[in-house]
Amino acid sequence: MDYKMDSGWKLHPIGGDTGHAYMGIRAEEKVFLKRNSSPFLAALSVEGITPRLIWTKRIGNGDVLTAQEWLNGRVLTRQEMHTQEVTDLVHKIHHSEHLLGMLRKVKGEVFDPETFLAEYTADLDESLVTNSFLATIVSYLESTLYLVKGSEYTVCHGDLNRKNFFLTENKRLYLVDWESVKIADPMADISLLLIQYVAPEAWDNWLTEYGIVRSEAIDARLEWYSLVNRLILAKRFHATGDYFKMNQQILGMKKTYENRNYKKL
């Protein structure tokens, strides 16, 4: 439902997973508005990662609204997730000392490998708890934690879904929806993108374009975070009743597990 806020703005919901995104219209002015977005948004705007931040204000009910420039464009297709522009944008985020410093200032959450496992196991449906294969994956990840401890952490978007990549009419690429931002091993972001959009036989090429040289340590992190991300996605799809996509993630886990490099179980 549309509603009016202070100062004559009229807000029109425009969808999204959080339900906090709006088109804001006042007279001839149009902006993209979001309720209670991360204070990290200002730093992202300065870096050109998200559309330009225009203002931030607190409204009568206590919510904080942020206004960004309204840009016409579209989300990326699955095929476009393979492009160098996407790889370069992800690389820029992971290698920005400014963004990392700003996220630390606003108390961004640090995700250790154990945190990812805890995200999966928290409030887990009984049917997933009792699934012997998924339990095997959890045990394997617990037994190989030492392989991914001590990696250098960076800013991670946390939800590298194609729908969060916005291409403007002027061919400028932005990454939006930063509610899942965290300080973590960048391989968490990279593996999430790869398992969703890049065929396994093309992973080497993608990593090369990003600037990663494969090694035993890199492969261990890639394997570990691929598995834990598939667990989290499977849990999410189970919760929404999308069992086809859930089973796709389980099949992906089986392939990775069967070909695993560290046979600890």
Side-chain angles (χ1 to χ4, degrees):
M1 174 181 289
D2 298 351
Y3 69 90
K4 293 183 179 180
M5 59 166 278
D6 301 347
S7 306
W9 285 96
K10 189 170 184 181
L11 276 60
H12 305 269
I14 57 174
D17 293 337
T18 63
H20 290 183
Y22 304 87
M23 177 197 298
I25 299 177
R26 185 178 65 177
E28 300 300 315
E29 188 177 2
K30 183 191 295 186
V31 295
F32 175 77
L33 294 172
K34 201 152 191 181
R35 288 193 295 124
N36 302 323
S37 61
S38 169
F40 185 53
L41 185 62
L44 294 166
S45 173
V46 168
E47 291 280 328
I49 305 295
T50 63
R52 181 172 58 88
L53 180 65
I54 302 171
W55 49 254
T56 299
K57 65 175 64 175
R58 188 174 298 276
I59 58 177
N61 65 357
D63 284 347
V64 174
L65 277 181
T66 54
Q68 293 172 270
E69 62 178 326
W70 182 270
L71 296 168
N72 294 319
R74 59 176 178 80
V75 301
L76 295 188
T77 65
R78 296 186 65 87
Q79 291 72 28
E80 288 171 324
M81 291 296 289
H82 298 231
T83 62
Q84 187 68 48
E85 289 78 11
V86 170
T87 308
D88 289 345
L89 183 55
V90 174
H91 182 279
K92 178 180 180 179
I93 293 161
H94 290 165
H95 289 79
S96 172
E97 291 295 330
H98 174 249
L99 288 181
L100 182 59
M102 292 304 295
L103 188 53
R104 292 192 189 278
K105 280 187 178 180
V106 299
K107 309 297 183 185
E109 189 172 3
V110 177
F111 262 57
D112 294 316
E114 294 92 339
T115 316
F116 285 92
L117 274 175
E119 182 177 338
Y120 171 70
T121 57
D123 302 316
L124 192 62
D125 186 87
E126 185 64 20
S127 64
L128 299 181
V129 172
T130 57
N131 183 297
S132 60
F133 174 71
L134 296 181
T136 296
I137 296 297
V138 171
S139 295
Y140 175 68
L141 292 174
E142 290 172 340
S143 74
T144 52
L145 273 168
Y146 72 96
L147 293 170
V148 291
K149 300 285 281 184
S151 299
E152 185 175 351
Y153 287 2
T154 68
V155 171
C156 288
H157 179 270
D159 188 16
L160 292 182
N161 185 292
R162 69 177 183 84
K163 295 179 181 179
N164 290 332
F165 286 87
F166 183 78
L167 185 67
T168 71
E169 290 180 341
N170 295 327
K171 305 303 180 184
R172 177 72 184 270
L173 184 64
Y174 293 104
L175 183 56
V176 299
D177 285 347
W178 285 81
E179 278 70 21
S180 298
V181 65
K182 53 183 64 75
I183 299 169
D185 186 336
M187 202 59 69
D189 258 0
I190 291 169
S191 63
L192 181 60
L193 188 152
L194 291 177
I195 63 176
Q196 294 182 98
Y197 301 111
V198 182
E201 58 270 20
W203 283 20
D204 270 341
N205 185 58
W206 193 97
L207 292 167
T208 299
E209 291 177 347
Y210 177 95
I212 290 176
V213 178
R214 297 289 289 268
S215 67
E216 186 173 328
I218 290 292
D219 287 347
R221 289 161 59 202
L222 185 57
E223 176 184 282
W224 199 95
Y225 281 104
S226 294
L227 286 169
V228 80
N229 274 321
R230 286 194 185 278
L231 280 174
I232 293 168
L233 288 172
K235 176 185 179 181
R236 189 176 303 166
F237 291 136
H238 180 274
T240 60
D242 196 335
Y243 301 117
F244 175 76
K245 288 185 178 178
M246 179 189 77
N247 287 326
Q248 282 184 313
Q249 295 306 318
I250 292 174
L251 287 172
M253 276 182 258
K254 287 182 176 177
K255 289 179 181 178
T256 301
Y257 185 68
E258 288 168 359
N259 297 310
R260 66 194 185 280
N261 294 314
Y262 304 93
K263 302 182 184 298
K264 297 295 177 183
L265 297 180

